[in-house]
Amino acid sequence: MFRKNKIILTTALIIGAVAATTAQEGQVRINQNETIPALLEKKTEMVQDGIIGERYRIQLFSGDNNQASKVIKEYRTLFPEWSSTIVFETPNYKVWIGNFRNSLEADRALLQIKKSFPAAFRFRPEKR
């Protein structure tokens, strides 16, 4: 009797294991709005242009407009590879550099820039 139950149990386990491992085939159908690919492409462009997403910048100067113009002119002759701009935040004009995707990228640039502009620092601008 014990042997018969053992054989039945073993057979049931084998049949269950085989049944559980057989693959099932099917089809998946995805219905999506036609504007989704265009929106994803637009978002990718906006991230690359720094309009959205977490970005880092380097600040070289904060003060009056004349001095900011001198600093940016000097910067552009030394480091043409990174973009630069003057931003007005009351009451100061600030010289901002780059639009770096991550802090590592910004820190690498900062190491080079600090040789000529020791007061430079990395920051992440607030969203407006």
Side-chain angles (χ1 to χ4, degrees), residues 57-76 82-89 92-98 113 117 119-121 123:
R57 294 184 183 258
I58 295 172
Q59 181 170 309
L60 298 184
F61 174 80
S62 178
D64 69 90
N65 189 27
N66 290 334
Q67 189 64 28
S69 296
K70 290 177 187 176
V71 169
I72 202 167
K73 186 176 180 181
E74 179 184 353
Y75 167 81
R76 287 177 177 168
W82 296 299
S83 64
S84 58
T85 187
I86 295 177
V87 177
F88 179 70
E89 287 187 350
N92 295 314
Y93 290 87
K94 299 179 178 187
V95 178
W96 287 358
I97 305 306
I113 292 170
F117 300 92
F121 63 91
F123 72 101

Side-chain angles (χ1 to χ4, degrees), residues 96-111:
W96 287 358
I97 305 306
N99 194 12
F100 303 100
R101 289 178 285 186
N102 54 53
S103 62
L104 180 62
E105 193 177 289
D107 286 341
R108 286 180 178 159
L110 183 61
L111 287 174

Side-chain angles (χ1 to χ4, degrees), residues 2-111:
F2 179 70
R3 184 169 168 79
K4 186 177 178 183
N5 286 342
K6 192 175 181 181
I7 292 172
I8 292 173
L9 181 61
T10 305
T11 305
L13 288 173
I14 292 172
I15 291 172
V18 170
T21 58
T22 57
Q24 296 180 3
E25 293 185 30
Q27 287 186 320
V28 176
R29 184 177 229 169
I30 299 173
N31 295 321
Q32 74 177 16
N33 191 311
E34 296 150 7
T35 59
I36 290 175
L39 289 171
L40 289 173
E41 186 176 318
K42 182 68 174 169
K43 180 185 180 232
T44 301
E45 289 175 15
M46 292 175 78
V47 168
Q48 289 173 347
D49 293 341
I51 297 169
I52 61 173
E54 297 296 319
R55 295 294 180 139
Y56 292 85
R57 294 184 183 258
I58 295 172
Q59 181 170 309
L60 298 184
F61 174 80
S62 178
D64 69 90
N65 189 27
N66 290 334
Q67 189 64 28
S69 296
K70 290 177 187 176
V71 169
I72 202 167
K73 186 176 180 181
E74 179 184 353
Y75 167 81
R76 287 177 177 168
T77 60
L78 295 172
F79 302 100
E81 63 268 27
W82 296 299
S83 64
S84 58
T85 187
I86 295 177
V87 177
F88 179 70
E89 287 187 350
T90 307
N92 295 314
Y93 290 87
K94 299 179 178 187
V95 178
W96 287 358
I97 305 306
N99 194 12
F100 303 100
R101 289 178 285 186
N102 54 53
S103 62
L104 180 62
E105 193 177 289
D107 286 341
R108 286 180 178 159
L110 183 61
L111 287 174

